[in-house]
mmCIF file of all heavy atoms in Angstrom:
data_model
loop_
_atom_site.group_PDB
_atom_site.id
_atom_site.type_symbol
_atom_site.label_atom_id
_atom_site.label_comp_id
_atom_site.label_asym_id
_atom_site.label_seq_id
_atom_site.Cartn_x
_atom_site.Cartn_y
_atom_site.Cartn_z
ATOM 1 N N ILE A 92 -0.141 30.749 16.151
ATOM 2 C CA ILE A 92 -1.505 30.815 15.676
ATOM 3 C C ILE A 92 -1.783 29.699 14.681
ATOM 4 O O ILE A 92 -2.803 28.997 14.755
ATOM 5 C CB ILE A 92 -1.811 32.196 15.044
ATOM 6 C CG1 ILE A 92 -1.866 33.260 16.178
ATOM 7 C CG2 ILE A 92 -3.128 32.172 14.247
ATOM 8 C CD1 ILE A 92 -1.868 34.651 15.642
ATOM 9 N N ALA A 93 -0.844 29.487 13.783
ATOM 10 C CA ALA A 93 -1.012 28.394 12.770
ATOM 11 C C ALA A 93 -1.012 27.035 13.436
ATOM 12 O O ALA A 93 -1.847 26.187 13.152
ATOM 13 C CB ALA A 93 0.079 28.482 11.712
ATOM 14 N N ILE A 94 -0.088 26.821 14.352
ATOM 15 C CA ILE A 94 0.028 25.555 15.055
ATOM 16 C C ILE A 94 -1.215 25.230 15.851
ATOM 17 O O ILE A 94 -1.706 24.101 15.815
ATOM 18 C CB ILE A 94 1.286 25.506 15.950
ATOM 19 C CG1 ILE A 94 2.567 25.498 15.065
ATOM 20 C CG2 ILE A 94 1.269 24.314 16.888
ATOM 21 C CD1 ILE A 94 3.846 25.776 15.820
ATOM 22 N N LYS A 95 -1.796 26.232 16.542
ATOM 23 C CA LYS A 95 -2.975 26.013 17.314
ATOM 24 C C LYS A 95 -4.141 25.606 16.415
ATOM 25 O O LYS A 95 -5.101 24.944 16.882
ATOM 26 C CB LYS A 95 -3.336 27.266 18.093
ATOM 27 C CG LYS A 95 -2.467 27.498 19.286
ATOM 28 C CD LYS A 95 -2.781 28.824 19.987
ATOM 29 C CE LYS A 95 -1.795 29.081 21.122
ATOM 30 N NZ LYS A 95 -1.952 30.442 21.679
ATOM 31 N N ASN A 96 -4.091 26.008 15.157
ATOM 32 C CA ASN A 96 -5.103 25.617 14.217
ATOM 33 C C ASN A 96 -4.741 24.408 13.361
ATOM 34 O O ASN A 96 -5.350 24.189 12.308
ATOM 35 C CB ASN A 96 -5.428 26.827 13.283
ATOM 36 C CG ASN A 96 -6.254 27.841 14.012
ATOM 37 O OD1 ASN A 96 -7.467 27.637 14.231
ATOM 38 N ND2 ASN A 96 -5.627 28.945 14.421
ATOM 39 N N LYS A 97 -3.694 23.710 13.860
ATOM 40 C CA LYS A 97 -3.227 22.428 13.242
ATOM 41 C C LYS A 97 -2.825 22.586 11.778
ATOM 42 O O LYS A 97 -2.960 21.688 10.941
ATOM 43 C CB LYS A 97 -4.312 21.359 13.362
ATOM 44 C CG LYS A 97 -4.629 21.056 14.831
ATOM 45 C CD LYS A 97 -5.611 19.917 14.914
ATOM 46 C CE LYS A 97 -6.087 19.561 16.304
ATOM 47 N NZ LYS A 97 -5.337 20.055 17.442
ATOM 48 N N ILE A 98 -2.237 23.767 11.465
ATOM 49 C CA ILE A 98 -1.723 24.069 10.129
ATOM 50 C C ILE A 98 -0.233 23.781 10.148
ATOM 51 O O ILE A 98 0.499 24.344 10.969
ATOM 52 C CB ILE A 98 -1.999 25.524 9.711
ATOM 53 C CG1 ILE A 98 -3.510 25.784 9.720
ATOM 54 C CG2 ILE A 98 -1.355 25.832 8.390
ATOM 55 C CD1 ILE A 98 -3.887 27.254 9.596
ATOM 56 N N PRO A 99 0.264 22.909 9.262
ATOM 57 C CA PRO A 99 1.695 22.692 9.194
ATOM 58 C C PRO A 99 2.447 23.995 8.883
ATOM 59 O O PRO A 99 1.988 24.778 8.059
ATOM 60 C CB PRO A 99 1.846 21.690 8.015
ATOM 61 C CG PRO A 99 0.518 21.087 7.834
ATOM 62 C CD PRO A 99 -0.464 22.125 8.277
ATOM 63 N N VAL A 100 3.584 24.190 9.560
ATOM 64 C CA VAL A 100 4.292 25.466 9.516
ATOM 65 C C VAL A 100 5.776 25.266 9.112
ATOM 66 O O VAL A 100 6.442 24.403 9.664
ATOM 67 C CB VAL A 100 4.274 26.189 10.879
ATOM 68 C CG1 VAL A 100 5.075 27.417 10.899
ATOM 69 C CG2 VAL A 100 2.828 26.479 11.243
ATOM 70 N N LEU A 101 6.207 26.073 8.200
ATOM 71 C CA LEU A 101 7.648 26.234 7.836
ATOM 72 C C LEU A 101 8.002 27.668 8.259
ATOM 73 O O LEU A 101 7.393 28.630 7.751
ATOM 74 C CB LEU A 101 7.930 25.990 6.401
ATOM 75 C CG LEU A 101 9.335 26.291 5.931
ATOM 76 C CD1 LEU A 101 10.328 25.288 6.519
ATOM 77 C CD2 LEU A 101 9.444 26.281 4.400
ATOM 78 N N ILE A 102 9.000 27.839 9.115
ATOM 79 C CA ILE A 102 9.415 29.168 9.563
ATOM 80 C C ILE A 102 10.773 29.489 9.016
ATOM 81 O O ILE A 102 11.724 28.718 9.168
ATOM 82 C CB ILE A 102 9.460 29.251 11.123
ATOM 83 C CG1 ILE A 102 8.143 28.803 11.734
ATOM 84 C CG2 ILE A 102 9.819 30.661 11.563
ATOM 85 C CD1 ILE A 102 8.202 28.766 13.249
ATOM 86 N N GLU A 103 10.894 30.654 8.447
ATOM 87 C CA GLU A 103 12.195 31.139 8.040
ATOM 88 C C GLU A 103 13.013 31.439 9.276
ATOM 89 O O GLU A 103 12.497 31.653 10.349
ATOM 90 C CB GLU A 103 12.030 32.404 7.207
ATOM 91 C CG GLU A 103 11.690 32.156 5.769
ATOM 92 C CD GLU A 103 12.736 31.312 5.070
ATOM 93 O OE1 GLU A 103 13.961 31.521 5.224
ATOM 94 O OE2 GLU A 103 12.354 30.366 4.373
ATOM 95 N N LYS A 104 14.312 31.496 9.118
ATOM 96 C CA LYS A 104 15.210 31.767 10.242
ATOM 97 C C LYS A 104 14.975 33.192 10.711
ATOM 98 O O LYS A 104 14.658 34.064 9.897
ATOM 99 C CB LYS A 104 16.644 31.594 9.802
ATOM 100 C CG LYS A 104 17.027 32.451 8.620
ATOM 101 C CD LYS A 104 18.471 32.781 8.598
ATOM 102 C CE LYS A 104 18.738 33.725 7.508
ATOM 103 N NZ LYS A 104 18.122 34.994 7.512
ATOM 104 N N PRO A 105 15.101 33.526 11.942
ATOM 105 C CA PRO A 105 15.155 32.614 13.061
ATOM 106 C C PRO A 105 13.746 32.128 13.418
ATOM 107 O O PRO A 105 12.781 32.836 13.213
ATOM 108 C CB PRO A 105 15.737 33.460 14.199
ATOM 109 C CG PRO A 105 15.234 34.827 13.894
ATOM 110 C CD PRO A 105 15.191 34.939 12.381
ATOM 111 N N VAL A 106 13.671 30.967 13.969
ATOM 112 C CA VAL A 106 12.346 30.411 14.408
ATOM 113 C C VAL A 106 11.727 31.346 15.421
ATOM 114 O O VAL A 106 10.564 31.698 15.324
ATOM 115 C CB VAL A 106 12.506 28.989 14.936
ATOM 116 C CG1 VAL A 106 11.206 28.509 15.551
ATOM 117 C CG2 VAL A 106 12.975 28.052 13.869
ATOM 118 N N ALA A 107 12.491 31.726 16.410
ATOM 119 C CA ALA A 107 12.028 32.657 17.449
ATOM 120 C C ALA A 107 13.277 33.411 17.923
ATOM 121 O O ALA A 107 14.403 33.020 17.558
ATOM 122 C CB ALA A 107 11.409 31.863 18.600
#
Side-chain angles (χ1 to χ4, degrees):
I92 290 169
I94 291 168
K95 286 176 184 174
N96 284 286
K97 299 183 183 345
I98 299 169
V100 174
L101 173 68
I102 307 176
E103 279 302 315
K104 58 152 186 60
V106 172

